[in-house]
Amino acid sequence: MRTTVGIIGAGPAGLLLARLLHVAGIDSVVLESRDRAYVEHRQRAGILEQGTVDVLRAVGAGGRMDREGLRHDGIELRFARRRHRVDFPGLADGRSVMVYAQTEVCKDLIALQLKEGGPLLFEAEALAVEDADTARPRVPFRHDGREDVLECDYVVGCDGFWGVARTAFPAALSRTFERTYPYGWLGILADVAPSHDELVYARHDRGFALLSMRSPRVSRLYLQVPADTDAGDWSDDAVWAELERRFETADGWRLERGPITQKSVTPMRSYVHEPMRYGRVFLAGDAAHIVPPTGAKGLNLAVGDVVTFARALTHRKETGSAGLLDAYSATCLRRVWQAERFSYDMTTLLHPAPDATDFEHRLQLARLERIAANRAARTDLAEGYTGFPLD
């Protein structure tokens, strides 16, 4: 099998890249190791930055998002039993975010790819990436019980942290930067209308809590827990009781309970692999970087990567210049490190560390008070949350 761009992974990054290339008249083949049902139902991110929303609209994938997604013009910071709203449009040049689950983004992009785009092969396991530093990299893969080879001009690894694309990078070339946090998030899905119309980020001495949503009828909530927590150790009543403690306010606000349909623990880590390009192999999304979910940056960073690659390859097609492709890693990493910084700041602002001293607790509160009282501090948060430029 032969194509211009071999894309490994049919998450939102790989699917969006295939769509961007199709719009630009560049052929691609997408290899996805899982079946379609798995891709369309794996629960991941749910917050789309303004830039991500704009890109999905531009490639014809924004119709259902605009009908069913929930535009949010701010978030609420909650601490010391008080509530403080951060207004995004007023602080970030009119930008907002959209609550629209990754599962729905994938469904929309899969439908478009199968209708209009190039081959999208489910249950096609990429086995390796070969000849990365040549003009004809190859991806051996297994599909329908037989082995085949995808020959490409370029390979883009959108296959996550455990994928094969990054293994094509020589160890002597690779540098990794990593931080593992001593806590995770116990997350639940519940069949109950959200108790607030915007996301609530709560800092409490007992730990962080987040009130989010998937739809007007489904709530998504999280609790900070020790990193080694087993979700099965938490009863439904215990989860709701702890959420109520951490969200408590002085004005009598109430958290509505409902049936919990899903419960899991998400680990917290920061990770960056440099560079993001070797030869004709390019990394995108979790294959190159991971952020703690506090800043809602993971999916949006992946979008930034594939937009950068698609623009660079289109530029090569139109002008013959490989300059933007050569700059891919440096271009992406500038944005990646700003997102890593923002996600780290949000995480350490809101999560009391297990061994935190009274001094450190008071510093957290002082940082939150600064944001609540100072427009410049709120502006910095709003600009980071709604997204760094894709240019």
Side-chain angles (χ1 to χ4, degrees):
M1 187 179 291
R2 182 82 177 86
T3 191
T4 301
V5 181
I7 301 171
I8 308 176
L15 292 166
L16 178 58
L17 177 57
R19 182 64 184 174
L20 289 163
L21 296 175
H22 172 76
V23 170
I26 300 170
D27 62 290
S28 68
V29 173
V30 183
L31 304 177
E32 168 56 48
S33 62
R34 302 283 193 160
D35 62 25
R36 180 176 178 178
Y38 179 88
V39 174
E40 292 186 338
H41 292 91
R42 56 185 166 193
Q43 292 290 333
R44 293 291 189 273
I47 304 294
L48 308 183
E49 295 175 355
Q50 184 71 64
T52 298
V53 170
D54 293 343
V55 169
L56 290 172
R57 288 171 177 158
V59 299
R64 193 163 69 92
M65 173 191 69
D66 284 330
R67 292 191 304 272
E68 301 177 12
L70 306 174
R71 171 177 162 150
H72 280 199
D73 287 335
I75 59 172
E76 182 175 291
L77 295 178
R78 193 172 292 190
F79 61 96
R81 302 180 69 214
R82 290 179 284 128
R83 305 162 66 181
H84 306 271
R85 185 173 185 269
V86 179
D87 170 47
F88 291 159
L91 296 165
D93 298 324
R95 297 200 301 272
S96 61
V97 298
M98 183 79 75
V99 177
Y100 191 64
Q102 174 177 311
T103 52
E104 306 312 305
V105 174
C106 287
K107 289 174 186 175
D108 297 341
L109 290 169
I110 286 171
L112 279 172
Q113 184 70 9
L114 294 177
K115 180 181 179 181
E116 303 174 8
L120 167 54
L121 305 182
F122 291 103
E123 299 180 89
E125 180 187 6
L127 303 175
V129 177
E130 300 174 347
D131 302 328
D133 58 346
T134 73
R136 293 287 186 271
R138 297 156 35 94
V139 184
F141 67 97
R142 185 181 296 113
H143 183 239
D144 286 340
R146 64 183 182 86
E147 293 192 6
D148 202 344
V149 176
L150 179 61
E151 298 180 345
C152 322
D153 294 333
Y154 305 93
V155 175
V156 182
C158 305
D159 50 346
F161 182 78
W162 301 107
V164 300
R166 198 171 65 250
T167 65
F169 285 59
L173 179 69
S174 298
R175 296 187 66 196
T176 59
F177 306 85
E178 188 170 10
R179 180 187 177 101
T180 301
Y181 299 86
Y183 39 74
W185 279 8
L186 172 63
I188 65 166
L189 276 176
D191 286 338
V192 61
S195 299
H196 193 61
D197 56 0
E198 293 178 336
L199 272 68
V200 177
Y201 288 76
R203 188 271 178 203
H204 192 280
D205 286 347
R206 295 176 63 91
F208 167 76
L210 172 62
L211 186 156
S212 182
M213 63 281 295
R214 284 293 178 262
S215 76
R217 296 171 298 279
V218 177
S219 293
R220 183 74 158 152
L221 300 108
Y222 299 93
L223 283 171
Q224 177 186 345
V225 293
D228 59 354
T229 295
D230 182 342
D233 293 339
W234 282 75
S235 70
D236 291 2
D237 283 343
V239 170
W240 286 117
E242 189 61 26
L243 286 166
E244 287 168 350
R245 290 187 192 98
R246 298 188 192 183
F247 284 125
E248 183 182 15
T249 65
D251 61 6
W253 179 92
R254 284 190 57 196
L255 178 68
E256 297 296 329
R257 296 189 179 197
I260 295 176
T261 59
Q262 186 183 102
K263 197 184 299 177
S264 62
V265 174
T266 301
M268 306 279 281
R269 62 191 300 236
S270 301
Y271 173 87
V272 179
H273 179 279
E274 294 186 3
M276 291 175 57
R277 177 204 178 173
Y278 170 62
R280 295 215 173 186
V281 178
F282 299 75
L283 302 180
D286 286 0
H289 43 73
I290 294 171
V291 290
T294 324
K297 289 283 165 275
L299 181 154
N300 297 290
L301 267 186
V303 168
D305 295 342
V306 298
V307 167
T308 300
F309 177 82
R311 286 175 177 168
L313 191 57
T314 302
H315 182 73
R316 171 67 182 267
K317 176 187 175 185
E318 294 175 347
T319 69
S321 169
L324 295 184
L325 285 170
D326 292 340
Y328 171 82
S329 183
T331 301
C332 289
L333 284 168
R334 282 194 294 272
R335 191 167 183 271
V336 166
W337 277 111
Q338 285 301 316
E340 291 282 355
R341 186 271 308 168
F342 177 79
S343 298
Y344 173 84
D345 286 350
M346 286 286 284
T347 301
T348 56
L349 172 70
L350 294 162
H351 294 74
D355 58 351
T357 63
D358 289 343
F359 178 83
E360 289 165 321
H361 282 296
R362 294 301 290 268
L363 281 182
Q364 278 187 321
L365 292 172
R367 291 168 65 192
L368 285 162
E369 293 283 5
R370 173 71 174 172
I371 293 169
N374 183 270
R375 181 181 176 87
R378 290 195 303 279
T379 297
D380 184 62
L381 191 157
E383 289 179 342
Y385 198 98
T386 56
F388 303 104
L390 294 178
D391 297 331

